[in-house]
Amino acid sequence: GLGGKAMIYKGDYLAAKDMINRGINVYAEKGRTDPVAIVYEGMPYLYLNDIENAKRVFNRVYEIDPENSWSIIGKTYIELITGQFTSARNRINILEKRQIHDSEMVYRFAHFYSFLGEFDKAIDALEYSVEEGFFCYSYIASDPFTKPIHNNPRFKSILEKAKIRQELYVKRFGAEIKSLIGMPS
């Protein structure tokens, strides 16, 4: 799973899809149905604009556990991509009430709010995400789902903070960590 996630963060969605699918097959053989792993299985399809396969994956995770936050996140992506903004907004409201603190999960809110045109909220979610430990600079800098906020001055300062944090992280933990956070070696 980590290798596929790193490929997503590098923007290599085809490689991510292949790597994640290999990992999912291993998961399936062991009977694992981890919602976060399945959501990441669907992410490359979203980025590749393969809506049918994204729907297939996100609906599968939703059927396994519709109350899981990752399951709701997957369903929200599908609704946003297919223009079902009212039901997506209702799901986002459910997630907001849960007061999620996981920085990588909060980053999804930057996507959601960008899709909805709520750019100040998207920037706030991004800032919280980076402050709390999700500082994958190259991914944040090039993420097509947050494109609408990339020219915002706050975005640029948050991105700079992510870059500095990533550099400090690599300096502290060494070069082998680079591939896990989507950096070229």
Side-chain angles (χ1 to χ4, degrees), residues 3-13 136 138-139 142 178-185:
K5 198 188 284 192
M7 289 294 121
I8 291 171
Y9 294 160
K10 286 180 181 177
D12 191 345
Y13 309 123
C136 192
S138 56
Y139 177 57
S142 64
K178 282 181 164 186
S179 68
L180 292 178
I181 55 175
M183 287 179 73
S185 297

Side-chain angles (χ1 to χ4, degrees), residues 90-160:
N90 291 336
R91 288 189 203 285
I92 293 166
N93 291 343
I94 290 167
L95 291 169
E96 286 170 341
K97 285 185 182 108
R98 293 184 178 187
Q99 298 180 0
I100 294 164
H101 296 288
D102 177 274
S103 59
E104 198 168 347
M105 196 181 267
V106 171
Y107 184 79
R108 308 296 139 207
F109 285 90
H111 285 169
F112 297 162
Y113 297 136
S114 289
F115 280 122
L116 292 171
E118 298 176 21
F119 303 128
D120 286 340
K121 281 181 141 181
I123 292 284
D124 290 344
L126 174 64
E127 186 169 43
Y128 179 91
S129 181
V130 169
E131 290 289 331
E132 294 302 312
F134 185 73
F135 45 77
C136 192
Y137 171 77
S138 56
Y139 177 57
I140 295 168
S142 64
D143 188 347
F145 292 159
T146 58
K147 203 102 179 125
I149 61 173
H150 287 196
N151 289 325
N152 183 304
R154 274 183 68 206
F155 176 85
K156 292 177 187 330
S157 79
I158 295 165
L159 185 63
E160 189 56 32

